[in-house]
Amino acid sequence: MQFTFPEGFLWGTASSAHQIEGNTHNDWTEWEQSHAEQFSNEARTKKPLHSSPLWMSIQQEASLPSNYISGNNSDHYHRFKEDFALARSLGHNTLRFSIEWSRIEPKEGAFDEKEIDHYREVIQELKSQNLEPFLTLWHWTLPLWLKEQGGIYSPNFKSYFIRYAETLAHAYGNEVTFWITMNEPDIFSFMSFLIGVWPPEKKGVFYYLRALHILINTHKATYTAIKKILPHAQIGLAKNNTYFEAYQNTLINRVLKRMADWWVNYYFLNRIRGYQDFIGLNYYFHNRIDYGFYKNENKHVSDMGLWEHVWELYPEGLYYALKELAPYRLPIYITEHGLADREDTSRAWYITESLKSVARALQEGVDVRGYLHWSLLDNFEWNKGFWPRFGLVEVDYQTKTRTIRKSALVFKEVCITNKIEL
Ligand code: BGC
C-alpha cells in the first residue's frame, strides 16, 4: 500500500553552525584545543562495545588529536550556496540551520553588521532555492565574552539572549517563519552540567537543575519577545525525546516508564506550555525498560553504537515518540533524526523504516508537518569530533569535496513523490 504524506509536508535536513561552518571562535573552539590530546589518548585504548570491522578505521581516526578540533571544518560558511543547491537537487524543500552567536555579537553589545548580512544572504539563498528556512538561534555554542561572564549562569544571560534574539527578529523577520529558540536545552544541561563532559564541565545535580530552570525561563521570555516583533512567527524549540518502552507491559516496567517519561520527555515541555507554536522533535534514542533501563536488544546499531550503548537504531520508536507528543495538540516537526553510518549500510533502511513510522502516526491523526534529517553534510560531532559520519552527503575534510551517498537518493524519492510504500 502506498501512503501519501499531507500536501505541503516539509522534507529536508538540519544542521548547526559550529558543526559545519568552519573557523568559528566560541567557547567550544577553546575547549577543543585544550581537550584534543586527552581525547585522542582515550580513543587509543578504547574497546568497542559491539564487534564490527569498522572499529579499526574509527579508532584510527578517533586517535588523532586533529579529530577533536573543529578547525575549518567543511567550510560551509563559504560554500553554503553549493550546499543548498545539493539539498535542492536531493528534492528537499526545507533546511534547518543555526546562527553562530559569537559571529553576530563578537563583543558584548557590539553587533557585527557584516555577519548579520552574511546570514541574511544565507536566508535569501535558501528562499531562492525554495528551501523553507528553520532558523535556530542557539545550538549550544557561546561567545567568549559570555563564557567569561559565566555562560548561561551569567546573571544577565536571559537579557543577553533576548537582545540577540530581538536583533535577529528585526533583521530577518520578513523572511523567516520558523524560529527555534534553542536546540535540546535538556541534553545541553545533562552533558554540560549533570555528567559534566561538555563545556563548561560544571558537574553536579544542582548545576543541572539550575541550568534547566535558566533555559526554561529564557525560552519563555524569548518566545514572548519574538512574538511582539513578529506576531505571525512560528516559534518553538528542538526537544530530544526518548522512546521508553515498558517491556512486556509489566506493572514495574510501566511505573519506571512513567517516571522516565515525566522527567526526560515531558518536564521541559510542560514547563513551557503556552510558549511554543509547534513541537520540534529530535528523535534518536530508544530505551527498553525491563526491571531496569537500557535493556535494548541492539539488533541494529549505528557507528556510534560501537562506542556507546544508547545508539540503537529502532525505527518503530519514532512512531511512539510522535504518539506520545500528540496530547500537546500542537503541530510537530521532526527537527532531527539520523545516524552515524560511514559506510552508508543502514541509512536508507533506517530512513525508510522511520518514515513508515511517521506515516503510521499520521494515519492515526498525529499532526506531523515535516521531517528534517540530521544531517545534509558530515559534520563535527561535538566531543566525538569528526569520525562519526551523519551526512546524506559525505565530506572529504581535506579537499572539501562533497559526495552524495546512495541513501540520499532513496530519501530523495520520498521527498519528490511525497509518498512511501508501506
Ligand atoms: C544534536 C546535534 C548532534 C546530533 C547527533 C543532536 O542531539 O542536536 O548537534 O550532532 O544529535 O548526535
Side-chain angles (χ1 to χ4, degrees), residues 100-252:
E100 177 59 34
W101 189 353
S102 61
R103 290 194 197 273
I104 298 287
E105 193 180 357
K107 289 201 191 113
E108 186 197 325
F111 290 86
D112 186 330
E113 285 302 326
K114 265 215 231 105
E115 295 292 354
I116 293 178
D117 286 347
H118 168 80
Y119 288 105
R120 183 175 294 111
E121 225 192 298
V122 166
I123 292 162
Q124 283 168 353
E125 184 63 22
L126 285 172
K127 300 213 69 148
S128 76
Q129 301 220 30
N130 290 323
L131 294 160
E132 179 70 43
F134 262 75
L135 184 156
T136 308
L137 288 169
W138 182 58
H139 201 121
W140 301 341
T141 51
L142 293 170
L144 287 172
W145 59 264
L146 181 49
K147 178 207 141 194
E148 311 286 281
Q149 290 187 30
I152 70 159
Y153 276 101
S154 155
N156 299 323
F157 176 73
K158 190 169 84 179
S159 54
Y160 289 146
F161 197 98
I162 293 170
R163 183 175 61 182
Y164 163 66
E166 285 175 340
T167 306
L168 299 188
H170 283 298
Y172 312 135
N174 290 335
E175 280 152 303
V176 177
T177 304
F178 295 100
W179 296 76
I180 291 179
T181 57
M182 43 184 82
N183 181 68
E184 300 184 350
D186 47 341
I187 297 287
F188 168 82
S189 306
F190 180 89
M191 299 296 279
S192 296
F193 299 103
L194 186 64
I195 59 172
V197 296
W198 284 356
E201 297 183 83
K202 267 190 167 196
K203 190 170 162 175
V205 177
F206 175 75
Y207 285 129
Y208 167 59
L209 296 176
R210 178 122 185 85
L212 285 174
H213 176 78
I214 292 167
L215 296 176
I216 286 165
N217 288 338
T218 303
H219 167 80
K220 284 164 68 177
T222 307
Y223 176 93
T224 309
I226 301 177
K227 269 279 149 156
K228 242 190 224 155
I229 302 166
L230 308 169
H232 302 298
Q234 293 294 296
I235 310 166
L237 57 75
K239 173 75 179 69
N240 185 309
N241 271 16
T242 293
Y243 168 49
F244 291 100
E245 178 190 1
Y247 190 55
Q248 293 183 343
N249 208 14
T250 64
L251 179 66
I252 297 209

Side-chain angles (χ1 to χ4, degrees), residues 19 139-140 183-184 240 282 284 311 336 374 379 381-382 390:
Q19 293 180 267
H139 201 121
W140 301 341
N183 181 68
E184 300 184 350
N240 185 309
N282 290 4
Y284 292 95
W311 291 84
E336 279 185 39
W374 184 275
N379 54 76
E381 178 60 21
W382 306 110
F390 277 87

Side-chain angles (χ1 to χ4, degrees), residues 277-335:
D277 303 316
F278 63 87
I279 293 184
L281 166 66
N282 290 4
Y283 174 75
Y284 292 95
F285 305 137
H286 166 229
N287 191 329
R288 177 180 283 187
I289 302 169
D290 191 12
Y291 301 98
F293 292 96
Y294 293 119
K295 306 291 180 178
N296 297 29
E297 274 186 293
N298 288 318
K299 266 201 241 158
H300 302 275
V301 289
S302 76
D303 296 353
M304 295 282 270
L306 304 176
W307 192 282
E308 280 175 352
H309 281 293
V310 290
W311 291 84
E312 185 195 16
L313 301 175
Y314 192 72
E316 302 90 308
L318 183 52
Y319 161 78
Y320 294 104
L322 289 168
K323 286 285 277 189
E324 290 175 356
L325 287 172
Y328 287 95
R329 299 188 168 281
L330 286 172
I332 303 170
Y333 293 89
I334 298 158
T335 39

